[in-house]
Amino acid sequence: MGIASATSAEVGKSEPIITRLVNEDKKPFWKKPNLLYLYLMLFPTCMGIELTSGFDSQMINALQIVPSWVEYFGNPQGSLKGIIAAAYSLGAILSLPLIPRVNDRFGRRWSIFGGSIIMVTGALIQGFSVHVGMYIVARMILGFGIPTCIVSGSSLIGELAYPKERPVLTSLFNVSYFIGQIVAAAICFGTNDIKTDWAWRIPSLLQICPSLLQIVFVFFLPESPRWLITKDRTEEAQAILAKYHGETDGGAEFVAAEMAQMQTTIHIELEAAKKSWFHPFETAGMRRRLVITTMLGLFTQWSGNTLISYYLGDLLKLIGQTDSKYIQKINVSIACWSLFCGVVVSFMVIKIRRRVMYLMCTCSLLLCYIAWTISMERAQTAAAIGVPNQAANIAVLFFIYAYSPCYNMGYNALTYTYMVEVWPYAERSSGIAVFQFFGRLAGFFTTFVNPIGLKDVGWKYLISYCCWLAYEVVFVYFMFPETHGRTLEELAFIFEDKRLADEAVAAVKKVVNDDGFFEPSSDNKGAAAEVKEAVV
């Protein structure tokens, strides 16, 4: 597959009838009781899934500074320190081959429930560990459970949300990561002065909390209508859409059109998927999805973020900051700053196109890392000759903080929004699982290698990230398609023959034409005119 411009291969975008109808709906979600309830339930269940990942990264980061943790586990350094942090990603890698089958067989809710049970088990073992081997195994169990929840939760958000709010909700999915970071940083700061093992056991045990939220609340959510359609439970799917997407004038008719689009698109997808186990590799469109997904998985972990998430203490020690309380305060402040940046950027996804945001993200990350590398070199060179360079030290701290808005602009805000949009329903679980696999593989590698690199070559290690970030800019420019402003079904065949996309459009037009519900009204005059013109 040769390199083409990002837009030239987007041949299968369908006519955006549903999107135009959604845009005509001016009623906000908070005036729709059922939809408001749905969104409130999504937060402790699906949105809260990434709390566990954020909690874990910050906890391991912070516990490496806690004296009792360091003493209990024999002051781990180098490769042992790396494997303790990387065990979480290793466990995730081991579970990923099972996820698409589990997700598509048992549905989104039961998959979240099962993954949460596994994580509860891992957190309990982690908190009561008696040696470093047990601690590593516990973290592997935690990692084994998290991808199931992430794949199911991100899919469920995209498949339940009303099209108007879907991009923001899927973007906020990753933001809960920073809430987990803040909570973990605050807890570790609070237990830092405890002189016993409970200084690290308390945070380790409290990692159970996000999973308990999911276990308690997940069945207050409806199942994915798209999953129900694949199981020939169309009446249940229609009832869910009617309840949550039909709270507006002409809601019943809109739901009928939306249902027709879903059924037709999913039928076409499933027919294609049944042809071969290797369907995701057979067509140019699917291969391009795999390449984009693989690279995005690597980008989210190889862009330098794991240095800050897992080894902030080591970075600050390189510029002479060794006080554990000071480092804990920096931990908390960076987590709070990242949450603020993540929330702000998540609301930009409905205004700014996807490719623009990704290019802004990668370019700004590259510039930030180059400046950070130069500052770190100046700081370490000055420290080596015994004359600390305070200006360089402050610059290092500045660029650590500046990194957050740059990273959040693309790799946090758009990650799952983009994956849900790029992958059609029939392959969505597999696609997000592939993303998770390469993300976790990259995370395992970097969390293992980072402490070794920082220890052996110091500031020069940052140069490797500068080179990789330059590659990211080029890849995004040439390979990432634009998906902004479309429903999931309108994007299902973005890389395929437009004829397939037109089949789904025809199904919507048939419902519109046969039912005749798009007569001009105060709410849909504009959409009515466009749809009638399209039908004619």
Side-chain angles (χ1 to χ4, degrees):
M1 181 179 63
I3 294 179
S5 69
T7 56
S8 63
E10 297 167 33
V11 297
K13 282 186 178 179
S14 69
E15 189 177 346
I17 295 177
I18 297 294
T19 297
R20 289 198 294 262
L21 297 174
V22 168
N23 291 336
E24 290 290 331
D25 175 18
K26 303 303 181 184
K27 189 175 182 180
F29 73 88
W30 58 85
K31 292 185 179 180
K32 302 174 182 178
N34 292 332
L35 194 60
L36 178 60
Y37 167 84
L38 174 67
Y39 293 165
L40 290 175
M41 285 297 103
L42 282 173
F43 271 86
T45 50
C46 298
M47 299 293 187
I49 288 169
E50 282 286 3
L51 280 168
T52 303
S53 293
F55 193 105
D56 184 85
S57 69
Q58 191 60 254
M59 182 188 72
I60 289 300
N61 195 0
L63 289 185
Q64 293 174 42
I65 311 163
V66 174
S68 64
W69 186 91
V70 173
E71 181 182 352
Y72 192 88
F73 291 116
N75 191 22
Q77 296 293 323
S79 59
L80 178 59
K81 190 175 187 178
I83 197 65
I84 290 173
Y88 189 78
S89 293
L90 180 59
I93 292 168
L94 295 175
S95 75
L96 284 165
L98 306 174
I99 290 174
R101 185 175 294 274
V102 170
N103 202 305
D104 291 335
R105 179 172 182 180
F106 297 104
R108 312 307 195 199
R109 296 184 303 172
W110 277 106
S111 297
I112 293 172
F113 183 84
S116 299
I117 292 291
I118 293 172
M119 286 191 286
V120 166
T121 304
L124 289 172
I125 296 173
Q126 178 179 251
F128 292 111
S129 294
V130 295
H131 51 71
V132 70
M134 187 174 176
Y135 197 78
I136 290 171
V137 170
R139 290 183 49 70
M140 288 179 65
I141 294 171
L142 275 162
F144 192 89
I146 188 68
T148 306
C149 295
I150 289 175
V151 172
S152 302
S154 59
S155 298
L156 190 58
I157 293 169
E159 293 165 5
L160 280 176
Y162 189 63
K164 185 183 292 185
E165 290 88 35
R166 176 185 55 77
V168 172
L169 290 174
T170 49
S171 296
L172 286 172
F173 175 76
N174 246 5
V175 171
S176 64
Y177 179 95
F178 300 120
I179 299 174
Q181 276 195 324
I182 293 171
V183 172
I187 290 170
C188 291
F189 181 77
T191 62
N192 186 72
D193 292 332
I194 297 176
K195 303 302 180 184
T196 67
D197 297 343
W198 287 105
W200 63 267
R201 291 190 188 276
I202 290 173
S204 298
L205 285 169
L206 287 177
Q207 197 167 350
I208 198 174
C209 294
S211 299
L212 288 178
L213 280 176
Q214 288 136 40
I215 290 169
V216 170
F217 287 103
V218 71
F219 291 107
F220 286 93
L221 283 175
E223 185 53 87
S224 164
R226 292 166 175 87
W227 182 80
L228 292 171
I229 289 171
T230 65
K231 302 302 179 183
D232 295 323
R233 294 161 62 178
T234 54
E235 290 184 3
E236 294 176 57
Q238 178 117 13
I240 290 170
L241 291 174
K243 181 175 181 179
Y244 297 106
H245 291 192
E247 294 180 291
T248 186
D249 294 339
E253 296 84 357
F254 171 78
V255 167
E258 189 180 30
M259 187 73 179
Q261 186 186 56
M262 285 184 189
Q263 285 181 291
T264 306
T265 303
I266 290 172
H267 174 74
I268 296 170
E269 293 173 20
L270 292 178
E271 284 301 311
K274 287 177 183 176
K275 293 177 183 178
S276 170
W277 284 97
F278 299 99
H279 174 64
F281 304 93
E282 287 181 339
T283 67
M286 282 298 180
R287 289 194 295 272
R288 183 170 172 184
R289 287 185 179 95
L290 281 171
V291 171
I292 291 169
T293 299
T294 298
M295 288 296 107
L296 189 55
L298 298 178
F299 293 169
T300 57
Q301 298 300 318
W302 279 358
S303 297
N305 50 306
T306 52
L307 270 176
I308 300 172
S309 297
Y310 286 87
Y311 301 109
L312 180 64
D314 290 348
L315 289 171
L316 295 180
K317 287 174 184 175
L318 289 176
I319 59 173
Q321 299 293 346
T322 57
D323 180 67
S324 64
K325 278 195 172 183
Y326 175 82
I327 297 173
Q328 296 283 19
K329 289 177 182 178
I330 295 294
N331 256 339
V332 175
S333 65
I334 288 178
C336 292
W337 170 237
S338 297
L339 174 63
F340 173 79
C341 295
V343 172
V344 170
V345 172
S346 292
F347 285 95
M348 293 167 57
V349 299
I350 58 175
K351 300 293 185 182
I352 305 176
R353 289 179 290 123
R354 310 287 188 254
R355 272 172 48 80
V356 173
M357 288 187 71
Y358 271 123
L359 286 170
M360 290 168 61
C361 168
T362 51
C363 291
S364 60
L365 281 176
L366 176 58
L367 294 174
C368 183
Y369 241 90
I370 291 172
W372 181 5
T373 303
I374 294 170
S375 303
M376 185 69 84
E377 185 273 334
R378 292 288 83 199
Q380 282 204 275
T381 301
I385 61 175
V387 184
N389 187 332
Q390 192 60 28
N393 292 343
I394 293 172
V396 168
L397 264 180
F398 172 81
F399 288 114
I400 288 174
Y401 280 93
Y403 180 90
S404 183
C406 302
Y407 182 88
N408 277 284
M409 198 179 304
Y411 295 141
N412 183 68
L414 286 182
T415 296
Y416 291 101
T417 299
Y418 205 59
M419 285 294 92
V420 169
E421 290 175 347
V422 166
W423 285 95
Y425 174 82
E427 308 291 350
R428 186 165 295 140
S429 294
S430 298
I432 298 177
V434 169
F435 166 78
Q436 278 283 306
F437 176 79
F438 283 97
R440 297 295 175 178
L441 195 65
F444 172 79
F445 178 82
T446 54
T447 50
F448 180 76
V449 170
N450 280 341
I452 301 172
L454 289 174
K455 180 181 178 183
D456 292 347
V457 295
W459 69 268
K460 295 178 183 177
Y461 182 62
L462 301 184
I463 296 175
S464 63
Y465 283 111
C466 294
C467 297
W468 179 257
L469 286 165
Y471 166 72
E472 290 183 13
V473 175
V474 176
F475 187 91
V476 168
Y477 179 80
F478 282 106
M479 293 297 293
F480 275 35
E482 185 55 67
T483 59
H484 180 263
R486 300 283 180 135
T487 68
L488 299 185
E489 280 65 39
E490 289 165 358
L491 292 166
F493 308 109
I494 188 173
F495 299 134
E496 281 76 29
D497 188 344
K498 191 173 185 299
R499 176 183 55 81
L500 298 174
D502 289 341
E503 286 186 38
V505 173
V508 178
K509 289 179 179 179
K510 187 175 186 300
V511 172
V512 172
N513 198 32
D514 290 350
D515 290 350
F517 59 82
F518 287 107
E519 292 302 321
S521 69
S522 59
D523 290 318
N524 58 21
K525 286 181 181 179
E530 291 176 325
V531 172
K532 285 183 176 179
E533 183 180 352
V535 172
V536 174

